[in-house]
Amino acid sequence: MEVPELETIWNQMKIHPITGEEKPFPIGSDGMNKSVFEKQLTLQLNEIVRKVNTINSFGETSYQFGTLVYYERKKSAGGTRKIYLPRLKDQLVLKWLHTHLINAAKNKGITLQTKSPLEVVKRFREELSLYDNPVVVRTDLTAFFDSIPRDRVVDLASTLDIPKEAQQLLRAWSKTIMGRPMWITGKSKDEEIFGLPQGLSLSATLAELWGDEIERKMSPYVKLFRFVDDITFVCSSEEEALHFLTLLREVITEMELVISEKKTQIALLTEGIPWLGMVHYPREVIADQDRLEKWGKRFVHLRKEISLEFKTNPLKDKKELLDLFYYNVKQELKGKTSARPQWYSIVKDVGQWKKMDQMLHAQFKILHKQLGIPLPKDANLPSIHKHMLSRNKAL
């Protein structure tokens, strides 16, 4: 590891990969914020490199990773998941590891960056067209990140011809990972984390490597379509589907993972196959209503954020607040956030986009009224319907 290389990684981390804008950093688990870290950047980088490159008599790096803090996020399917946050210096080192893994895997023809769901769906639809009456198997993996055997996936990562210091750092990181709730100070609630802690770029990369291994092991038998832990494949008969599902169970068990029986389904495509927020039929794809409702709630949330800001700071410029809402909505529609409307580029329009426009435009009317700024009768409001139609035409 060299200081210039690490500085390049830091500069890349500061820019949002989708918007291209400089992004804020959450305060690290040790209380260090971005501005303080950057004031001491040269000192921090030199210290990191010195420790990483200092190897003891056991062949281990002297760099030590700090305790992660976590908060809990609600899952759309119910329950919560823990999202972990490291120290800023650890974020930088983990991103360095992540970058080396991505590049080394690419040299071996393996893509470790999370696949585009739209591209996965397109390939799935192409496969369906090869069958007269396709039978589809879909399943999911239970607690995917939490279940991945960390030592085994690190061993697998070490076969990708990554630099020796990267191998040493990976093993140092994997040895013992500790976490504590974000609202707790001190070590009283520290606990060991098993599997891969979510929220870390390195965890996503290693999870993708383990998922790719599932595809590789099944490739002699059937072509899998996978988005993270959501898996499907196509067969010509129910008997064939049952046979390949049995093989998949064996592979999953050998990899120390567990199939979700609740989400496992074998069905004819004519019955409608729910997958990745869509319901698939032989000649059309319909948007999953639950996913649309979730996206709709996102627009309501954006409006409420602006309303709360106005209520909290009534002297703030109203036009600025209104412009911010318009900007945030347009970012959602352009796919510049986690909403990813491009998922639905192949979805059939059965009136759902105009219905969502009614909900969205109601949020504009509410906010205009709250801010006391009249909404012109001929206002050209952002339209989900127009945006989705333009995406469909671009395909």
PDB file of all heavy atoms in Angstrom, residues 20 45 63 71 109 114 124 127 197 200 203-204 221 257 300 303 314 339 356 361 367-368 390:
ATOM      1  N   GLY A  20     -22.510  12.322  -9.149  1.00  0.00           N
ATOM      2  CA  GLY A  20     -21.261  13.010  -9.468  1.00  0.00           C
ATOM      3  C   GLY A  20     -20.975  14.183  -8.554  1.00  0.00           C
ATOM      4  O   GLY A  20     -19.998  14.919  -8.737  1.00  0.00           O
ATOM      5  N   LEU A  45      -3.114   9.377   6.398  1.00  0.00           N
ATOM      6  CA  LEU A  45      -2.723   8.451   5.332  1.00  0.00           C
ATOM      7  C   LEU A  45      -1.377   7.802   5.622  1.00  0.00           C
ATOM      8  O   LEU A  45      -1.207   6.593   5.434  1.00  0.00           O
ATOM      9  CB  LEU A  45      -2.679   9.170   3.990  1.00  0.00           C
ATOM     10  CG  LEU A  45      -4.001   9.741   3.464  1.00  0.00           C
ATOM     11  CD1 LEU A  45      -3.806  10.378   2.100  1.00  0.00           C
ATOM     12  CD2 LEU A  45      -5.075   8.670   3.399  1.00  0.00           C
ATOM     13  N   TYR A  63      -2.006  -3.205  11.300  1.00  0.00           N
ATOM     14  CA  TYR A  63      -3.217  -2.376  11.258  1.00  0.00           C
ATOM     15  C   TYR A  63      -4.354  -3.116  11.953  1.00  0.00           C
ATOM     16  O   TYR A  63      -4.582  -4.306  11.728  1.00  0.00           O
ATOM     17  CB  TYR A  63      -3.617  -2.075   9.818  1.00  0.00           C
ATOM     18  CG  TYR A  63      -4.764  -1.087   9.724  1.00  0.00           C
ATOM     19  CD1 TYR A  63      -4.528   0.281   9.726  1.00  0.00           C
ATOM     20  CD2 TYR A  63      -6.086  -1.528   9.656  1.00  0.00           C
ATOM     21  CE1 TYR A  63      -5.579   1.182   9.658  1.00  0.00           C
ATOM     22  CE2 TYR A  63      -7.139  -0.635   9.591  1.00  0.00           C
ATOM     23  CZ  TYR A  63      -6.878   0.723   9.593  1.00  0.00           C
ATOM     24  OH  TYR A  63      -7.915   1.624   9.540  1.00  0.00           O
ATOM     25  N   TYR A  71     -27.064   0.929  13.309  1.00  0.00           N
ATOM     26  CA  TYR A  71     -28.451   1.339  13.538  1.00  0.00           C
ATOM     27  C   TYR A  71     -29.331   0.320  12.834  1.00  0.00           C
ATOM     28  O   TYR A  71     -28.851  -0.481  12.020  1.00  0.00           O
ATOM     29  CB  TYR A  71     -28.717   2.755  13.014  1.00  0.00           C
ATOM     30  CG  TYR A  71     -28.534   2.943  11.523  1.00  0.00           C
ATOM     31  CD1 TYR A  71     -29.615   2.809  10.651  1.00  0.00           C
ATOM     32  CD2 TYR A  71     -27.287   3.259  10.983  1.00  0.00           C
ATOM     33  CE1 TYR A  71     -29.447   2.974   9.280  1.00  0.00           C
ATOM     34  CE2 TYR A  71     -27.116   3.431   9.625  1.00  0.00           C
ATOM     35  CZ  TYR A  71     -28.203   3.289   8.771  1.00  0.00           C
ATOM     36  OH  TYR A  71     -28.040   3.454   7.421  1.00  0.00           O
ATOM     37  N   GLY A 109     -12.517 -12.537 -15.166  1.00  0.00           N
ATOM     38  CA  GLY A 109     -13.820 -12.615 -15.818  1.00  0.00           C
ATOM     39  C   GLY A 109     -14.988 -12.670 -14.857  1.00  0.00           C
ATOM     40  O   GLY A 109     -16.087 -13.110 -15.218  1.00  0.00           O
ATOM     41  N   THR A 114     -22.424  -5.191  -7.765  1.00  0.00           N
ATOM     42  CA  THR A 114     -23.791  -5.709  -7.796  1.00  0.00           C
ATOM     43  C   THR A 114     -24.415  -5.474  -9.161  1.00  0.00           C
ATOM     44  O   THR A 114     -24.401  -4.361  -9.683  1.00  0.00           O
ATOM     45  CB  THR A 114     -24.650  -5.021  -6.708  1.00  0.00           C
ATOM     46  OG1 THR A 114     -24.031  -5.225  -5.433  1.00  0.00           O
ATOM     47  CG2 THR A 114     -26.041  -5.630  -6.671  1.00  0.00           C
ATOM     48  N   PHE A 124     -33.225 -12.760 -17.999  1.00  0.00           N
ATOM     49  CA  PHE A 124     -34.238 -13.729 -17.575  1.00  0.00           C
ATOM     50  C   PHE A 124     -35.355 -13.825 -18.615  1.00  0.00           C
ATOM     51  O   PHE A 124     -35.775 -14.923 -19.006  1.00  0.00           O
ATOM     52  CB  PHE A 124     -34.793 -13.305 -16.217  1.00  0.00           C
ATOM     53  CG  PHE A 124     -35.975 -14.096 -15.733  1.00  0.00           C
ATOM     54  CD1 PHE A 124     -35.887 -15.456 -15.500  1.00  0.00           C
ATOM     55  CD2 PHE A 124     -37.195 -13.461 -15.499  1.00  0.00           C
ATOM     56  CE1 PHE A 124     -36.975 -16.181 -15.043  1.00  0.00           C
ATOM     57  CE2 PHE A 124     -38.291 -14.176 -15.042  1.00  0.00           C
ATOM     58  CZ  PHE A 124     -38.189 -15.537 -14.814  1.00  0.00           C
ATOM     59  N   GLU A 127     -34.234 -15.720 -21.651  1.00  0.00           N
ATOM     60  CA  GLU A 127     -34.225 -17.164 -21.404  1.00  0.00           C
ATOM     61  C   GLU A 127     -35.638 -17.733 -21.502  1.00  0.00           C
ATOM     62  O   GLU A 127     -35.848 -18.813 -22.062  1.00  0.00           O
ATOM     63  CB  GLU A 127     -33.637 -17.445 -20.014  1.00  0.00           C
ATOM     64  CG  GLU A 127     -33.493 -18.908 -19.658  1.00  0.00           C
ATOM     65  CD  GLU A 127     -32.319 -19.589 -20.358  1.00  0.00           C
ATOM     66  OE1 GLU A 127     -31.541 -18.891 -21.058  1.00  0.00           O
ATOM     67  OE2 GLU A 127     -32.175 -20.808 -20.208  1.00  0.00           O
ATOM     68  N   PRO A 197     -20.943  -7.881   7.836  1.00  0.00           N
ATOM     69  CA  PRO A 197     -21.731  -6.733   8.319  1.00  0.00           C
ATOM     70  C   PRO A 197     -22.218  -5.867   7.169  1.00  0.00           C
ATOM     71  O   PRO A 197     -21.429  -5.397   6.356  1.00  0.00           O
ATOM     72  CB  PRO A 197     -20.742  -5.977   9.216  1.00  0.00           C
ATOM     73  CG  PRO A 197     -19.384  -6.422   8.766  1.00  0.00           C
ATOM     74  CD  PRO A 197     -19.535  -7.806   8.257  1.00  0.00           C
ATOM     75  N   LEU A 200     -21.094  -2.031   4.542  1.00  0.00           N
ATOM     76  CA  LEU A 200     -19.705  -1.886   4.137  1.00  0.00           C
ATOM     77  C   LEU A 200     -19.557  -2.295   2.673  1.00  0.00           C
ATOM     78  O   LEU A 200     -20.098  -3.325   2.261  1.00  0.00           O
ATOM     79  CB  LEU A 200     -18.788  -2.763   5.000  1.00  0.00           C
ATOM     80  CG  LEU A 200     -18.384  -2.255   6.395  1.00  0.00           C
ATOM     81  CD1 LEU A 200     -19.578  -2.010   7.273  1.00  0.00           C
ATOM     82  CD2 LEU A 200     -17.430  -3.256   7.046  1.00  0.00           C
ATOM     83  N   SER A 203     -18.212  -5.766   2.318  1.00  0.00           N
ATOM     84  CA  SER A 203     -19.183  -6.838   2.568  1.00  0.00           C
ATOM     85  C   SER A 203     -19.992  -7.135   1.322  1.00  0.00           C
ATOM     86  O   SER A 203     -20.229  -8.304   0.981  1.00  0.00           O
ATOM     87  CB  SER A 203     -20.122  -6.445   3.718  1.00  0.00           C
ATOM     88  OG  SER A 203     -19.441  -6.413   4.947  1.00  0.00           O
ATOM     89  N   ALA A 204     -20.420  -6.073   0.620  1.00  0.00           N
ATOM     90  CA  ALA A 204     -21.200  -6.271  -0.603  1.00  0.00           C
ATOM     91  C   ALA A 204     -20.375  -7.002  -1.657  1.00  0.00           C
ATOM     92  O   ALA A 204     -20.889  -7.877  -2.371  1.00  0.00           O
ATOM     93  CB  ALA A 204     -21.673  -4.921  -1.134  1.00  0.00           C
ATOM     94  N   TYR A 221     -25.486 -27.478 -14.684  1.00  0.00           N
ATOM     95  CA  TYR A 221     -26.827 -28.057 -14.675  1.00  0.00           C
ATOM     96  C   TYR A 221     -27.894 -27.111 -15.215  1.00  0.00           C
ATOM     97  O   TYR A 221     -28.738 -27.494 -16.023  1.00  0.00           O
ATOM     98  CB  TYR A 221     -27.195 -28.486 -13.251  1.00  0.00           C
ATOM     99  CG  TYR A 221     -26.111 -29.256 -12.560  1.00  0.00           C
ATOM    100  CD1 TYR A 221     -25.366 -28.672 -11.528  1.00  0.00           C
ATOM    101  CD2 TYR A 221     -25.801 -30.558 -12.947  1.00  0.00           C
ATOM    102  CE1 TYR A 221     -24.348 -29.369 -10.902  1.00  0.00           C
ATOM    103  CE2 TYR A 221     -24.781 -31.271 -12.316  1.00  0.00           C
ATOM    104  CZ  TYR A 221     -24.056 -30.663 -11.295  1.00  0.00           C
ATOM    105  OH  TYR A 221     -23.038 -31.353 -10.676  1.00  0.00           O
ATOM    106  N   LEU A 257     -25.286 -21.886   3.594  1.00  0.00           N
ATOM    107  CA  LEU A 257     -26.400 -20.949   3.490  1.00  0.00           C
ATOM    108  C   LEU A 257     -27.707 -21.722   3.624  1.00  0.00           C
ATOM    109  O   LEU A 257     -27.716 -22.948   3.642  1.00  0.00           O
ATOM    110  CB  LEU A 257     -26.353 -20.206   2.156  1.00  0.00           C
ATOM    111  CG  LEU A 257     -25.083 -19.392   1.885  1.00  0.00           C
ATOM    112  CD1 LEU A 257     -25.082 -18.856   0.459  1.00  0.00           C
ATOM    113  CD2 LEU A 257     -24.943 -18.240   2.877  1.00  0.00           C
ATOM    114  N   VAL A 300     -43.976  11.067  -0.638  1.00  0.00           N
ATOM    115  CA  VAL A 300     -44.643  11.680   0.521  1.00  0.00           C
ATOM    116  C   VAL A 300     -43.611  12.067   1.576  1.00  0.00           C
ATOM    117  O   VAL A 300     -43.666  13.150   2.161  1.00  0.00           O
ATOM    118  CB  VAL A 300     -45.697  10.722   1.119  1.00  0.00           C
ATOM    119  CG1 VAL A 300     -46.298  11.318   2.388  1.00  0.00           C
ATOM    120  CG2 VAL A 300     -46.796  10.419   0.099  1.00  0.00           C
ATOM    121  N   ARG A 303     -41.750  15.217   0.657  1.00  0.00           N
ATOM    122  CA  ARG A 303     -42.557  16.425   0.924  1.00  0.00           C
ATOM    123  C   ARG A 303     -42.604  16.731   2.409  1.00  0.00           C
ATOM    124  O   ARG A 303     -42.461  17.887   2.839  1.00  0.00           O
ATOM    125  CB  ARG A 303     -43.961  16.223   0.348  1.00  0.00           C
ATOM    126  CG  ARG A 303     -44.782  17.521   0.269  1.00  0.00           C
ATOM    127  CD  ARG A 303     -45.603  17.776   1.507  1.00  0.00           C
ATOM    128  NE  ARG A 303     -46.491  16.666   1.796  1.00  0.00           N
ATOM    129  CZ  ARG A 303     -47.081  16.497   2.974  1.00  0.00           C
ATOM    130  NH1 ARG A 303     -46.846  17.332   3.980  1.00  0.00           N
ATOM    131  NH2 ARG A 303     -47.866  15.453   3.192  1.00  0.00           N
ATOM    132  N   PRO A 314     -39.130  28.740  10.146  1.00  0.00           N
ATOM    133  CA  PRO A 314     -40.122  29.503   9.364  1.00  0.00           C
ATOM    134  C   PRO A 314     -39.548  30.700   8.612  1.00  0.00           C
ATOM    135  O   PRO A 314     -40.186  31.211   7.697  1.00  0.00           O
ATOM    136  CB  PRO A 314     -41.134  29.949  10.425  1.00  0.00           C
ATOM    137  CG  PRO A 314     -40.393  29.871  11.726  1.00  0.00           C
ATOM    138  CD  PRO A 314     -39.419  28.757  11.583  1.00  0.00           C
ATOM    139  N   ALA A 339     -34.158   4.688  -5.492  1.00  0.00           N
ATOM    140  CA  ALA A 339     -35.472   4.286  -6.003  1.00  0.00           C
ATOM    141  C   ALA A 339     -35.359   3.460  -7.278  1.00  0.00           C
ATOM    142  O   ALA A 339     -36.138   2.557  -7.514  1.00  0.00           O
ATOM    143  CB  ALA A 339     -36.337   5.530  -6.270  1.00  0.00           C
ATOM    144  N   MET A 356     -50.053   7.174 -10.023  1.00  0.00           N
ATOM    145  CA  MET A 356     -48.983   7.657  -9.157  1.00  0.00           C
ATOM    146  C   MET A 356     -48.763   9.155  -9.353  1.00  0.00           C
ATOM    147  O   MET A 356     -48.410   9.874  -8.411  1.00  0.00           O
ATOM    148  CB  MET A 356     -47.694   6.882  -9.427  1.00  0.00           C
ATOM    149  CG  MET A 356     -47.720   5.456  -8.912  1.00  0.00           C
ATOM    150  SD  MET A 356     -46.082   4.687  -8.925  1.00  0.00           S
ATOM    151  CE  MET A 356     -45.255   5.566  -7.600  1.00  0.00           C
ATOM    152  N   HIS A 361     -48.572  14.714  -7.627  1.00  0.00           N
ATOM    153  CA  HIS A 361     -48.992  16.098  -7.829  1.00  0.00           C
ATOM    154  C   HIS A 361     -49.756  16.636  -6.616  1.00  0.00           C
ATOM    155  O   HIS A 361     -49.720  17.837  -6.339  1.00  0.00           O
ATOM    156  CB  HIS A 361     -49.824  16.211  -9.105  1.00  0.00           C
ATOM    157  CG  HIS A 361     -49.026  15.924 -10.336  1.00  0.00           C
ATOM    158  ND1 HIS A 361     -49.586  15.715 -11.570  1.00  0.00           N
ATOM    159  CD2 HIS A 361     -47.678  15.791 -10.515  1.00  0.00           C
ATOM    160  CE1 HIS A 361     -48.632  15.479 -12.461  1.00  0.00           C
ATOM    161  NE2 HIS A 361     -47.474  15.515 -11.839  1.00  0.00           N
ATOM    162  N   LEU A 367     -47.605  21.186  -0.599  1.00  0.00           N
ATOM    163  CA  LEU A 367     -46.431  21.982  -0.229  1.00  0.00           C
ATOM    164  C   LEU A 367     -46.583  23.433  -0.677  1.00  0.00           C
ATOM    165  O   LEU A 367     -46.234  24.354   0.067  1.00  0.00           O
ATOM    166  CB  LEU A 367     -45.166  21.358  -0.843  1.00  0.00           C
ATOM    167  CG  LEU A 367     -43.844  21.966  -0.364  1.00  0.00           C
ATOM    168  CD1 LEU A 367     -43.712  21.835   1.158  1.00  0.00           C
ATOM    169  CD2 LEU A 367     -42.663  21.303  -1.044  1.00  0.00           C
ATOM    170  N   HIS A 368     -47.095  23.654  -1.880  1.00  0.00           N
ATOM    171  CA  HIS A 368     -47.333  25.029  -2.336  1.00  0.00           C
ATOM    172  C   HIS A 368     -48.251  25.761  -1.363  1.00  0.00           C
ATOM    173  O   HIS A 368     -48.010  26.925  -1.018  1.00  0.00           O
ATOM    174  CB  HIS A 368     -47.956  25.020  -3.739  1.00  0.00           C
ATOM    175  CG  HIS A 368     -46.941  25.027  -4.851  1.00  0.00           C
ATOM    176  ND1 HIS A 368     -46.469  26.179  -5.411  1.00  0.00           N
ATOM    177  CD2 HIS A 368     -46.315  24.005  -5.478  1.00  0.00           C
ATOM    178  CE1 HIS A 368     -45.600  25.886  -6.368  1.00  0.00           C
ATOM    179  NE2 HIS A 368     -45.478  24.563  -6.429  1.00  0.00           N
ATOM    180  N   SER A 390     -40.933   7.636 -21.522  1.00  0.00           N
ATOM    181  CA  SER A 390     -39.676   7.989 -22.217  1.00  0.00           C
ATOM    182  C   SER A 390     -38.634   6.901 -22.010  1.00  0.00           C
ATOM    183  O   SER A 390     -37.839   6.612 -22.914  1.00  0.00           O
ATOM    184  CB  SER A 390     -39.162   9.339 -21.727  1.00  0.00           C
ATOM    185  OG  SER A 390     -38.726   9.266 -20.374  1.00  0.00           O
TER     186      SER A 390
END
